[in-house]
Amino acid sequence: MAFFGRLRKKRAPRAYVIAKTDSRQIEQTHAHITARGAKSRLAERAHARIGMVLVVFCVTFAGLGARLAYVSLGYVGFKSAAVRAGAPAEHLARTEIVDRNGVLLAVNLPMMALEVTRAEIWDARETADALADVLEGVDVDALEKKLTQARYIEVRSDLTPAEQDAVFALGLPGVRFTPRVQRYYPHQSLASHVIGHTAPGKGGVMGLERVLEARGNTNPLVSSIDIRAQQVLEDELKKAMAIFSAEAAWGGVIDTDTGEIIALVSLPDFNPNAPGAALDDWRRNRATYDRYELGSAFKAFTAAAVLETGAGDEASEYDARGTYQVADRVIGDFHGENRILKFSEVVQHSSNIGAARMAADLGPERLRTMLSALGLTEPLPIELYENRSPGLPSKWGPVETATISYGHGISVTPLHLLAAYAGVVNGGVYRAPTFLKTVTVREGARVLSPKTSAIMRRVLRRVITDGTARQAEVQGYYPIGKTATADKPHAGGYDKSVRIASFVGAFPGYSPRYVVLVSLDNPKPTDSTYGYATAGWNAAPTFSQIVARIAPILRVTPVTDTSAFVAFASDESSTDANVVVSSVTIGGAP
């Protein structure tokens, strides 16, 4: 029966198409045509849809995987990339600043910042609490408020590796780590006014950082600073400020052969790693920008001008009895000798009357010419932008000539004074100061003859052995120098209760290699100074302590009395050399 019979699969109809062609191609033209049913077409569509779903699934899975890596590994998103792109390219490639011996003063450090994107976090409070648990100093309430208001928050700009690991372990969404570059100053406040600092979007804004900005970022900037001498100078000035309750202090060390600034300090100072934490007044460089009437230090310039111009010599004498009147100005001495003084004694005992009489012999033109040759009438051509012109009188009449001879009526920056003294004692060659290391001896302008300079070294030695700066002595180095105590000007005159006490000196005195300046702003008397607040009691002993510490660092070795005596007497061009030197006390202070 058909019912129980074997069902046979119905063959699909076949059709053949025969075309007229070459016999060799008949087999190639044979076509197989199969008729399709509804089920076949439905299955084909299903296979196509499954393939599309599979493709979508693979793309989605790959996207989720990439997103997981993005969040877990802290890759920077589009917004972070945009923020980073907004940073100056020159900051990212900013070169180092080093001292003269290659010690790093400023360097770029790779840092990791912690950022949070509001749109990606699940709960603002939960995120804030979690971050506060692993990071110190996070204000939970303040962070939560930011997370609900701002679209993008930087929680910390300088994560430590340990902090980064702790935050990573939290697994918080919307939290990522962004690579940054931060300018770092390893010595903190040391030499901060010379090095300067940078500002976001501006680059270097002061000091050598601004110099680097102007010169471009090609090679490390090698400064003239010796960080070891800088440390000593800063330490001793801070001690002096504390001992004498001074309001401020500044000082410097200059190489007399090259004009290089070996150290420069302005106190109070600041930390360039956080410049905004300091007062504006602390960021001001008093040593290069502020102008002061630096008082009796100018008497050395007046005396040198007298010798150089022939207006006087070492045998000249000046009447310092009583007072000295110039026009309507009466000039007197502080603890004066009240007698006729020899040339060297005018400087040795710091006589205002004697200096004014020297200036009268010189005349205003010759005095001004000497001050100009020593760089005291123009801005210094230094690299730092923190620079200022001297304050000069509107006219140079007899009164102005007299007062300028002892440092009143003219104001200069401390760096002006430091460089000018180097020109007086180094053989008579003035070199403008520089904050960049030099590899050869810099040319300078001859302002004094070697003979005049040699005489001035002997005169300035007497200031320490028998004059106002006996506490500036340093055994074995025979320093030379000059005290300067100047009353501060105020409306209508000078306030005699407020002063600037300075000492500027050189070592070794018989052949000066370095000049050191120490200044204290309004120091107070102490029991150890017997009620005095003049430079001989505060700035001079501070100078002594500085030289005793930095001389070995700078490889200046002490010598014997005999060697120093011969060196002081080595002015062969002076016919009276033996007579002059015989009156110089070479040993320690009396």
Side-chain angles (χ1 to χ4, degrees), residues 220-303:
L221 187 66
V222 183
S223 73
S224 60
I225 296 296
D226 187 317
I227 203 65
R228 302 167 301 172
Q230 180 77 25
Q231 182 71 69
V232 171
L233 183 62
E234 184 171 310
D235 285 348
E236 295 300 334
L237 284 176
K238 284 183 176 179
K239 289 179 186 177
M241 278 186 67
I243 293 172
F244 301 108
S245 303
E247 297 173 5
W250 54 85
V253 180
I254 189 172
D255 187 322
T256 63
D257 288 343
T258 64
E260 293 171 290
I261 301 301
I262 305 300
L264 193 81
V265 173
S266 175
L267 298 175
D269 55 13
F270 68 99
N271 185 349
N273 291 305
L279 300 175
D280 290 344
D281 185 58
W282 292 13
R283 295 198 298 270
R284 193 178 79 249
N285 192 341
R286 291 170 168 82
T288 65
Y289 185 75
D290 285 12
R291 298 183 304 202
Y292 306 94
E293 292 189 6
L294 293 173
S296 295
F298 271 66
K299 290 169 184 170
F301 305 143
T302 304

Side-chain angles (χ1 to χ4, degrees), residues 247-251 265-268 281 284-298 301 376 388-392 404 406-417 484-489 494 498-502 517-522:
E247 297 173 5
W250 54 85
V265 173
S266 175
L267 298 175
D281 185 58
R284 193 178 79 249
N285 192 341
R286 291 170 168 82
T288 65
Y289 185 75
D290 285 12
R291 298 183 304 202
Y292 306 94
E293 292 189 6
L294 293 173
S296 295
F298 271 66
F301 305 143
L376 295 166
R388 203 170 184 186
S389 302
L392 305 176
I404 288 173
Y406 54 86
H408 280 220
I410 182 172
S411 58
V412 298
T413 71
L415 191 57
H416 275 94
L417 183 66
T485 305
D487 298 329
K488 279 188 161 184
Y494 292 87
V498 183
R499 64 194 62 82
I500 294 176
S502 301
L517 170 66
V518 174
S519 291
L520 300 173
D521 187 356
N522 197 24

Side-chain angles (χ1 to χ4, degrees), residues 413-581:
T413 71
L415 191 57
H416 275 94
L417 183 66
L418 190 66
Y421 254 80
V424 169
V425 302
N426 70 354
V429 178
Y430 176 80
R431 294 179 180 88
T434 178
F435 287 89
L436 300 180
K437 181 179 179 179
T438 62
V439 294
T440 58
V441 176
R442 298 170 63 215
E443 293 185 1
R446 176 160 295 284
V447 295
L448 299 174
S449 67
K451 175 182 177 181
T452 297
S453 183
I455 294 173
M456 288 307 303
R457 290 196 293 270
R458 295 193 287 267
V459 169
L460 292 171
R461 177 62 185 160
R462 292 190 185 97
V463 175
I464 293 177
T465 59
D466 300 296
T468 59
R470 299 185 183 190
Q471 294 191 60
E473 183 64 276
V474 187
Q475 190 66 35
Y477 294 101
Y478 309 93
I480 60 178
K482 182 70 185 75
T483 55
T485 305
D487 298 329
K488 279 188 161 184
H490 71 133
Y494 292 87
D495 186 347
K496 295 188 177 297
S497 65
V498 183
R499 64 194 62 82
I500 294 176
S502 301
F503 182 84
V504 56
F507 73 96
Y510 51 83
S511 180
R513 180 62 196 279
Y514 299 99
V515 173
V516 180
L517 170 66
V518 174
S519 291
L520 300 173
D521 187 356
N522 197 24
K524 310 300 188 297
T526 66
D527 292 340
S528 62
T529 65
Y530 305 99
Y532 291 106
T534 51
W537 292 98
N538 44 52
T542 302
F543 166 89
S544 175
Q545 292 158 8
I546 291 169
V547 172
R549 290 182 61 185
I550 68 172
I553 292 173
L554 299 176
R555 299 183 179 181
V556 179
T557 57
V559 299
T560 63
D561 286 0
T562 301
S563 298
F565 183 91
V566 171
F568 273 112
S570 63
D571 177 20
E572 298 178 354
S573 62
S574 174
T575 55
D576 299 324
N578 294 331
V579 177
V580 174
V581 176

Side-chain angles (χ1 to χ4, degrees), residues 66 399 493:
V399 172

Side-chain angles (χ1 to χ4, degrees), residues 34-90:
T34 303
R36 296 182 301 160
K39 291 183 179 180
S40 173
R41 293 192 299 271
L42 183 61
E44 190 173 312
R45 287 195 297 270
H47 285 304
R49 290 173 180 171
I50 291 173
M52 292 176 62
V53 171
L54 182 60
V55 171
V56 172
F57 176 79
C58 291
V59 171
T60 304
F61 186 79
L64 290 174
R67 181 62 177 172
L68 179 62
Y70 172 89
V71 174
S72 300
L73 299 180
Y75 291 157
V76 182
F78 293 110
K79 186 172 185 65
S80 299
V83 171
R84 193 170 66 252
E90 63 270 16

